[in-house]
Coordinates of all heavy atoms in Angstrom, one line a residue:
Chain A
R1362 N 25.1 2.8 -12.5 CA 26.5 3.2 -13.0 C 26.5 4.7 -13.4 O 27.4 5.4 -13.0 CB 26.9 2.4 -14.2 CG 27.1 1.0 -13.8 CD 28.3 0.3 -14.5 NE 28.5 -1.0 -14.0 CZ 27.9 -2.1 -14.6 NH1 27.2 -1.9 -15.7 NH2 28.1 -3.3 -14.1
R1363 N 25.4 5.1 -14.1 CA 25.4 6.5 -14.6 C 25.3 7.5 -13.4 O 25.9 8.5 -13.4 CB 24.2 6.7 -15.6 CG 24.6 6.3 -17.0 CD 23.5 6.7 -17.9 NE 22.3 5.9 -17.8 CZ 21.1 6.2 -18.2 NH1 20.9 7.4 -18.7 NH2 20.1 5.4 -18.1
L1364 N 24.4 7.1 -12.5 CA 24.2 8.1 -11.3 C 25.4 8.0 -10.4 O 25.6 9.0 -9.7 CB 22.9 7.7 -10.6 CG 21.6 7.9 -11.3 CD1 20.5 7.3 -10.5 CD2 21.3 9.4 -11.5
G1365 N 26.0 6.9 -10.3 CA 27.1 6.7 -9.4 C 26.8 6.8 -7.9 O 27.6 7.0 -7.1
I1366 N 25.5 6.5 -7.6 CA 25.1 6.5 -6.2 C 24.9 5.1 -5.7 O 24.9 4.2 -6.5 CB 23.8 7.3 -5.9 CG1 22.7 6.7 -6.7 CG2 24.0 8.8 -6.3 CD1 21.3 7.3 -6.4
T1367 N 24.8 4.9 -4.4 CA 24.6 3.6 -3.9 C 23.2 3.1 -4.0 O 22.3 3.8 -3.7 CB 25.0 3.6 -2.4 OG1 26.3 4.2 -2.2 CG2 25.0 2.2 -1.8
F1368 N 23.1 1.9 -4.5 CA 21.7 1.2 -4.5 C 21.7 0.1 -3.5 O 22.6 -0.6 -3.4 CB 21.5 0.6 -5.9 CG 21.0 1.6 -7.0 CD1 21.3 2.9 -7.0 CD2 20.1 1.1 -7.9 CE1 20.9 3.7 -8.0 CE2 19.6 1.9 -8.9 CZ 20.0 3.3 -8.9
I1369 N 20.6 0.1 -2.7 CA 20.4 -1.1 -1.9 C 19.1 -1.7 -2.4 O 18.0 -1.1 -2.3 CB 20.3 -0.7 -0.4 CG1 21.6 0.0 0.0 CG2 20.1 -2.0 0.4 CD1 21.6 0.4 1.5
F1370 N 19.3 -2.9 -2.9 CA 18.2 -3.5 -3.7 C 17.8 -4.8 -3.0 O 18.6 -5.6 -2.5 CB 18.8 -3.9 -5.1 CG 17.9 -4.6 -6.0 CD1 17.1 -3.8 -6.9 CD2 17.9 -6.0 -6.1 CE1 16.3 -4.5 -7.8 CE2 17.0 -6.6 -7.0 CZ 16.3 -5.8 -7.9
V1371 N 16.4 -4.9 -2.8 CA 15.9 -6.1 -2.1 C 15.3 -7.1 -3.1 O 14.6 -6.7 -4.0 CB 14.9 -5.6 -1.1 CG1 14.0 -6.8 -0.6 CG2 15.5 -5.0 0.1
T1372 N 15.6 -8.3 -2.9 CA 15.0 -9.3 -3.7 C 15.0 -10.7 -3.0 O 15.7 -10.9 -2.1 CB 15.7 -9.5 -5.1 OG1 15.0 -10.4 -5.9 CG2 17.1 -9.9 -4.9
H1373 N 14.1 -11.6 -3.4 CA 14.2 -12.9 -2.9 C 14.6 -13.9 -4.1 O 14.5 -15.1 -4.0 CB 13.0 -13.4 -2.2 CG 11.7 -13.3 -3.0 ND1 10.7 -12.4 -2.7 CD2 11.3 -13.9 -4.1 CE1 9.7 -12.5 -3.6 NE2 10.1 -13.4 -4.4
D1374 N 15.0 -13.2 -5.2 CA 15.3 -14.0 -6.4 C 16.8 -14.1 -6.5 O 17.5 -13.1 -6.8 CB 14.7 -13.3 -7.6 CG 15.0 -14.0 -8.9 OD1 16.0 -14.8 -8.9 OD2 14.3 -13.8 -9.9
Q1375 N 17.4 -15.2 -6.3 CA 18.8 -15.4 -6.3 C 19.5 -15.0 -7.6 O 20.6 -14.4 -7.7 CB 19.3 -16.7 -5.8 CG 18.5 -17.9 -6.4 CD 19.3 -18.5 -7.5 OE1 20.4 -18.2 -7.7 NE2 18.7 -19.5 -8.2
E1376 N 18.9 -15.4 -8.7 CA 19.5 -15.1 -10.0 C 19.6 -13.6 -10.2 O 20.6 -13.1 -10.7 CB 18.6 -15.7 -11.1 CG 18.8 -17.2 -11.3 CD 18.0 -17.7 -12.5 OE1 17.8 -17.0 -13.5 OE2 17.5 -18.9 -12.3
E1377 N 18.5 -12.9 -9.8 CA 18.5 -11.4 -9.9 C 19.7 -10.9 -9.1 O 20.4 -10.0 -9.6 CB 17.2 -10.9 -9.4 CG 16.8 -9.6 -9.8 CD 15.3 -9.3 -9.6 OE1 14.5 -9.7 -10.4 OE2 15.0 -8.8 -8.5
A1378 N 19.8 -11.4 -7.9 CA 20.9 -10.9 -7.0 C 22.2 -11.1 -7.6 O 23.1 -10.2 -7.6 CB 20.7 -11.6 -5.7
L1379 N 22.5 -12.3 -8.1 CA 23.8 -12.7 -8.7 C 24.1 -11.8 -9.9 O 25.2 -11.4 -10.1 CB 23.8 -14.1 -9.1 CG 23.8 -15.1 -7.9 CD1 23.7 -16.6 -8.4 CD2 25.0 -15.0 -7.0
A1380 N 23.0 -11.5 -10.7 CA 23.3 -10.8 -12.0 C 23.6 -9.4 -11.7 O 24.3 -8.7 -12.5 CB 22.0 -11.0 -12.9
M1381 N 23.0 -8.8 -10.7 CA 23.1 -7.3 -10.6 C 24.1 -6.7 -9.6 O 24.5 -5.6 -9.8 CB 21.7 -6.8 -10.2 CG 20.6 -7.1 -11.2 SD 19.0 -6.6 -10.7 CE 19.1 -4.9 -11.0
S1382 N 24.4 -7.5 -8.6 CA 25.1 -6.8 -7.5 C 26.6 -6.8 -7.5 O 27.3 -7.6 -8.2 CB 24.7 -7.6 -6.2 OG 23.5 -8.2 -6.3
D1383 N 27.1 -5.8 -6.8 CA 28.5 -5.8 -6.5 C 28.7 -6.6 -5.2 O 29.7 -7.2 -5.0 CB 29.0 -4.3 -6.2 CG 29.0 -3.5 -7.4 OD1 29.4 -4.0 -8.5 OD2 28.6 -2.3 -7.3
Q1384 N 27.7 -6.5 -4.3 CA 27.9 -7.1 -3.0 C 26.5 -7.6 -2.6 O 25.5 -6.9 -2.7 CB 28.3 -6.0 -2.0 CG 28.5 -6.5 -0.6 CD 30.0 -6.8 -0.3 OE1 30.9 -6.5 -1.2 NE2 30.3 -7.4 0.8
I1385 N 26.5 -8.8 -2.1 CA 25.2 -9.4 -1.7 C 25.2 -9.7 -0.2 O 26.2 -10.2 0.3 CB 24.9 -10.8 -2.4 CG1 24.9 -10.5 -3.9 CG2 23.7 -11.4 -1.9 CD1 24.7 -11.8 -4.7

Side-chain angles (χ1 to χ4, degrees):
Chain A
R1362 291 218 178 91
R1363 273 191 287 160
L1364 290 171
I1366 61 174
T1367 307
F1368 275 35
I1369 304 180
F1370 180 88
V1371 162
T1372 182
H1373 55 250
D1374 180 339
Q1375 45 98 8
E1376 281 181 35
E1377 200 165 275
L1379 292 174
M1381 299 176 75
S1382 329
D1383 290 319
Q1384 182 96 9
I1385 299 177

